[in-house]
Amino acid sequence: PKLELSAHVQPITRSILRVELGLVPDFEYDTKVHGYVQLFHIIVEDVDGENILHHEMFLLKNTGAEDEHTVVFTVNILDPLPPSYFIRVISDRWLHSEAVLPISFNKMILPAKFYPPTELLDLQPLPISVLGEGALIKLYGFAEFNPIQTQTFHHLFKTDKNCLICAPSGSGKSACAEFAIMRMLVNDPQGKCVYVAPKEETSANTYVDWSKRFGSILRPGQVVQLTGEVAPDLKLIA
């Protein structure tokens, strides 16, 4: 049994490669000789043939002996980028029944590199007095900010730059968002801020908290919860 191979490869990220492998039977299938099912091993090897990067089985049934088959899988991209990989399709039962397809990376363009995450620095915790305004200081019931809040404070409270903060639950990210809100309140009292939450329960809890805390320094009705209905929401944020 022999299979003709073709492949379309696409890098999903700099470390994951999507492979769409086409397999076309190139032999006369005889159930008296081959049975009703032929089993093949699909193996992806590195350029030196020393490491197996992917393995899966492929079943060729007699009913599909004249059809083209497609197998889609992903495989890791090694760093540094090797010149090629090799895809081997080997029969489970027949000797010397093997097909090899080289996958060249010479002209493959990988996605751009992302900057590594910022390390959490060993900084002296900032006291809440850095907020400056007495009304803002009263919003918090503790004396100093935690390490994540300390490290992001200047970026969020002193600049208008974009910022993405990723940290575990309960690490104080909400306070980081409040830094940006307070900067808006100080520099643009007429500005508007929208908080988006993935769950309605989270949104409701945040609304209750901010209504109580920010409501003490804002006019009535300045902290509202949007419903998702266009007309009512437009009235609330007008």
Side-chain angles (χ1 to χ4, degrees):
K2 182 181 178 182
L3 299 177
E4 288 189 355
L5 307 180
S6 62
H8 173 72
V9 297
Q10 178 183 9
I12 300 176
T13 68
R14 290 189 69 86
S15 60
I16 299 178
L17 183 70
R18 181 182 184 271
V19 180
E20 185 176 315
L21 179 65
L23 306 103
V24 179
D26 188 25
F27 66 98
E28 185 176 345
Y29 202 110
D30 187 342
T31 55
K32 295 179 180 179
V33 177
H34 303 107
Y36 292 97
V37 175
Q38 283 291 306
L39 182 63
F40 294 87
H41 297 265
I42 299 176
I43 300 173
V44 181
E45 301 175 349
D46 63 6
V47 66
D48 298 319
E50 296 180 350
N51 298 297
I52 294 178
L53 307 176
H54 179 81
H55 171 261
E56 67 178 80
M57 308 300 291
F58 169 68
L59 289 175
L60 176 64
K61 299 181 180 180
N62 66 311
T63 54
E66 297 181 358
D67 302 328
E68 180 177 0
H69 303 270
T70 302
V71 177
V72 179
F73 56 88
T74 58
V75 62
N76 290 336
I77 300 175
L78 300 179
D79 188 21
L81 183 67
S84 61
Y85 283 168
F86 290 95
I87 300 178
R88 296 184 184 274
V89 179
I90 306 172
S91 172
D92 185 66
R93 302 177 184 175
W94 296 77
L95 294 174
H96 309 296
S97 175
E98 177 179 339
V100 181
L101 178 68
I103 303 296
S104 176
F105 295 155
N106 291 334
K107 296 183 179 180
M108 187 171 68
I109 300 176
L110 294 177
K113 282 187 176 181
F114 293 101
Y115 290 107
T118 305
E119 294 184 5
L120 187 61
L121 304 177
D122 185 16
L123 302 175
Q124 182 71 24
L126 289 175
I128 62 172
S129 58
V130 295
L131 294 172
E133 299 286 341
L136 301 180
I137 295 174
K138 292 180 180 179
L139 295 177
Y140 298 96
F142 47 82
E144 59 186 27
F145 295 114
N146 69 21
I148 292 177
Q149 296 160 354
T150 296
Q151 187 164 330
T152 59
F153 177 81
H154 177 80
H155 199 95
L156 294 167
F157 192 73
K158 298 293 186 180
T159 76
D160 292 322
K161 296 180 180 179
N162 295 329
C163 186
L164 172 65
I165 301 174
C166 301
S169 299
S171 57
K173 296 189 298 294
S174 296
C176 297
E178 292 170 1
F179 294 157
I181 295 174
M182 289 184 287
R183 173 173 174 78
M184 180 198 70
L185 295 177
V186 171
N187 293 281
D188 183 14
Q190 302 302 318
K192 293 181 175 62
C193 173
V194 178
Y195 168 79
V196 180
K199 297 180 180 179
E200 184 176 354
E201 181 182 2
T202 304
S203 175
N205 292 336
T206 303
Y207 170 69
V208 172
D209 178 47
W210 285 354
S211 294
K212 180 180 178 181
R213 293 168 55 229
F214 284 108
S216 64
I217 61 174
L218 297 174
R219 298 190 305 272
Q222 282 194 277
V223 180
V224 297
Q225 183 175 14
L226 304 182
T227 62
E229 298 293 334
V230 177
D233 287 351
L234 288 176
K235 293 181 180 180
L236 290 174
I237 63 177

